[in-house]
Amino acid sequence: MDTPAKTTEAAIETPLTKVFEKLGTSPKGLSAPEAKERLEEYGYNTLAEKKVNPLVKFLGYFWGPIPWMIEVAAVLSMIVRHWADFIIIIILLAFNGLVGFWQEYQAGNAVEALKKKLALKSRALRDGHWQQINAKELVPGDIIRLRLGDIIPADVMLFDCEYLSVDQSALTGESLPVNKTAGDSAYSGSIAKQGEMLGLVTATGNDTYFGKTAKLVASAKPVSHFQKAVLQIGDYLIYLSLGLVAALILVQLFRGTALLELVQFALILTVASIPVAMPAVLSVTMAVGALALSKLKAIVSRLESIEEMAGMDILCSDKTGTLTQNKLTLGDPLIFKAKDSQDLILAAALASKAEDQDAIDLALGKQAGVE
């Protein structure tokens, strides 16, 4: 097998027959051993996620302007031996870190569980027959079937049949579905709106158009309004406390105060000007909001998003379809020329394609007893 074209861009510039040749496959698909070998080579058809050590994530809650001020207050309290203040400050600092870390940890677990529950399935041609497999197990060279309503699980080059309408607005910004024909490419994450075609998988995971787009979005790392506000408050208080300490030192030096007494005054003023309880109050307030949202089955992955949501005036969303039990059943058929309703249902079921896993076809097959 030649070195496969690992990107959709490379496949677009190559004739379909050459792509089949480079990928070492055919319209008959891959065998199970070939698919396993390629899975080991290319990895799962998922976007790589950067896992952060829980300890590092926890320590991150003690890093930043506000935590620095609190930590300085703790050190100063220890220096002047105000042990009651020291203990209170340490408890508040630890409480703030624990609340934020625990909330994010729970949200992360909930999101992981949701991802597993919503894992995409795909119909792939393996060992000469159609199989329903997890989309993450697709590899370059696989042959998949795409039909109405399918989320395209990987970058593919289309062939067979004549027509497929694809909504790729989330990736390219095009307002209308794009008509695809044999030899055209379709991107992972786009949605099949009309038609039916077969697709040759040309790229998976991070090599897809969607994967590259997601990587760019992740690298942006925007700072939320809440984070900006907290940083501004922290900077303001730091400058204010430094200014007050400088003014105190100048006044006391002018009065001839002893150096030890001057240091104690400066330390006390610094500790008093640091809002040690502010982070804890903010974390508790947002945690309460996250708890309220969780009862409505909304998962908050970052506590800062609570403030962002509360600051919105208008939320625009696009929702199609209806909320249902996701169960389609067949009603009473209207008979024109069939002998009876069962004869009509059986004919319709035999005309359906079981490998498509279409909801209507499945309902017909279940009613006819030919699942």
Side-chain angles (χ1 to χ4, degrees):
M1 180 181 71
D2 295 336
T3 302
K6 295 180 66 176
T7 64
T8 304
E9 289 81 358
I12 291 174
E13 300 172 357
T14 309
L16 184 60
T17 53
K18 292 292 185 180
V19 176
F20 272 112
E21 183 180 336
K22 285 187 176 183
L23 289 173
T25 186
S26 72
K28 296 182 180 179
L30 301 173
S31 65
E34 286 177 325
K36 183 177 180 181
E37 181 181 342
R38 296 189 185 201
L39 188 62
E40 293 176 353
E41 179 181 355
Y42 296 103
Y44 285 112
N45 179 31
T46 55
L47 300 182
E49 296 184 45
K50 186 178 180 180
K51 298 292 185 181
V52 181
N53 187 292
L55 179 60
V56 174
K57 184 177 292 187
F58 175 68
L59 293 177
Y61 286 94
F62 302 96
W63 187 262
I66 297 295
W68 291 339
M69 294 177 66
I70 299 175
E71 289 156 9
V72 168
V75 172
L76 295 178
S77 298
M78 184 173 61
I79 292 175
V80 298
R81 298 184 179 182
H82 289 178
W83 300 115
D85 291 345
F86 174 77
I87 293 172
I88 292 173
I89 292 171
I90 291 297
I91 290 175
L92 288 173
L93 185 64
F95 178 77
N96 176 62
L98 287 171
V99 169
F101 173 76
W102 180 246
Q103 185 64 36
E104 188 172 340
Y105 177 77
Q106 284 185 315
N109 288 344
V111 170
E112 286 298 323
L114 186 61
K115 285 181 180 178
K116 293 179 181 179
K117 185 177 180 181
L118 298 179
L120 290 176
K121 300 288 184 179
S122 181
R123 292 168 298 283
L125 188 58
R126 297 271 181 92
D127 292 324
H129 63 276
W130 292 101
Q131 303 177 26
Q132 188 173 25
I133 64 172
N134 290 326
K136 71 175 186 178
E137 297 176 0
L138 289 174
V139 294
D142 260 326
I143 305 298
I144 61 175
R145 183 185 295 276
L146 302 172
R147 58 174 179 78
L148 172 67
D150 281 351
I151 298 175
I152 298 176
D155 283 2
V156 298
M157 180 168 277
L158 301 171
F159 69 99
D160 197 56
C161 300
E162 296 182 356
Y163 173 75
L164 185 70
S165 178
V166 177
D167 179 4
Q168 51 190 32
S169 58
L171 296 173
T172 63
E174 295 164 298
S175 59
L176 297 174
V178 180
N179 295 332
K180 303 284 187 178
T181 58
D184 289 340
S185 62
Y187 299 130
S188 171
S190 53
I191 303 172
K193 289 295 186 180
Q194 291 180 348
E196 181 177 327
M197 293 191 77
L198 299 185
L200 167 63
V201 176
T202 56
T204 59
N206 289 333
D207 293 324
T208 63
Y209 187 91
F210 180 83
K212 294 177 180 178
T213 303
K215 186 177 180 180
L216 290 174
V217 172
S219 63
K221 296 181 180 179
V223 180
S224 69
H225 177 268
F226 172 80
Q227 290 172 316
K228 290 179 180 178
V230 171
L231 289 174
Q232 288 176 350
I233 293 172
D235 292 342
Y236 173 77
L237 292 175
I238 288 174
Y239 297 143
L240 180 62
S241 62
L242 291 177
L244 290 174
V245 169
L248 174 66
I249 291 174
L250 290 175
V251 171
Q252 295 300 324
L253 285 175
F254 179 77
R255 292 180 177 180
T257 306
L259 181 61
L260 181 59
E261 185 178 351
L262 178 61
V263 172
Q264 288 181 336
F265 272 122
L267 292 177
I268 292 171
L269 178 59
T270 304
V271 172
S273 63
I274 295 175
V276 294
M278 187 179 74
V281 171
L282 293 175
S283 294
V284 170
T285 302
M286 290 187 291
V288 170
L291 179 61
L293 287 173
S294 68
K295 295 178 180 178
L296 300 175
K297 301 187 183 303
I299 299 172
V300 179
S301 59
R302 295 174 69 246
L303 285 178
E304 291 84 358
S305 62
I306 296 289
E307 192 276 340
E308 293 294 302
M309 186 180 296
M312 287 189 296
D313 295 321
I314 300 174
L315 173 63
C316 300
S317 63
D318 181 19
K319 171 69 176 69
T320 58
T322 56
L323 297 176
T324 67
Q325 292 183 344
N326 197 28
K327 294 179 182 179
L328 188 66
T329 57
L330 186 65
D332 296 330
L334 183 61
I335 301 173
F336 289 101
K337 294 185 179 181
K339 295 180 181 179
D340 52 37
S341 59
Q342 193 60 32
D343 184 62
L344 175 62
I345 294 171
L346 179 60
L350 293 175
S352 303
K353 293 182 178 180
E355 65 270 18
D356 282 352
Q357 292 292 297
D358 181 83
I360 296 177
D361 291 352
L362 292 175
L364 286 168
K366 184 176 181 180
Q367 190 72 18
V370 292
E371 298 179 78

